[in-house]
Amino acid sequence: MESIAVFETQKFDLEYIRNEALKFSEERFKNEFRAFVNQKLKEHDIKSAKYS
């Protein structure tokens, strides 16, 4: 029970936590994946893929 009591006294930076969680958003993943694929296509002189 001591662990719970200690945990409950902790203060959390909610803005920091939210910003960290946004790094894992679906939109960010799609954008970064698209950029990665397009970069690799460019490196191999292949026309960029168009995704919606």
Side-chain angles (χ1 to χ4, degrees):
M1 290 300 197
E2 184 178 338
S3 302
I4 295 172
V6 170
F7 176 80
E8 289 177 343
T9 64
Q10 300 295 312
K11 298 203 185 280
F12 296 97
D13 183 340
L14 299 180
E15 185 175 350
Y16 174 80
I17 293 169
R18 182 178 188 283
N19 288 334
E20 288 298 303
L22 289 174
K23 292 179 182 179
F24 301 97
S25 72
E26 181 178 347
E27 181 179 355
R28 180 177 176 185
F29 172 82
K30 287 179 181 179
N31 290 337
E32 290 184 13
F33 187 78
R34 182 178 301 115
F36 173 81
V37 169
N38 285 331
Q39 178 61 37
K40 295 304 174 187
L41 291 172
K42 184 178 177 183
E43 289 174 10
H44 295 283
D45 200 27
I46 301 172
K47 185 181 269 188
S48 292
K50 300 290 183 194
Y51 301 103
S52 57

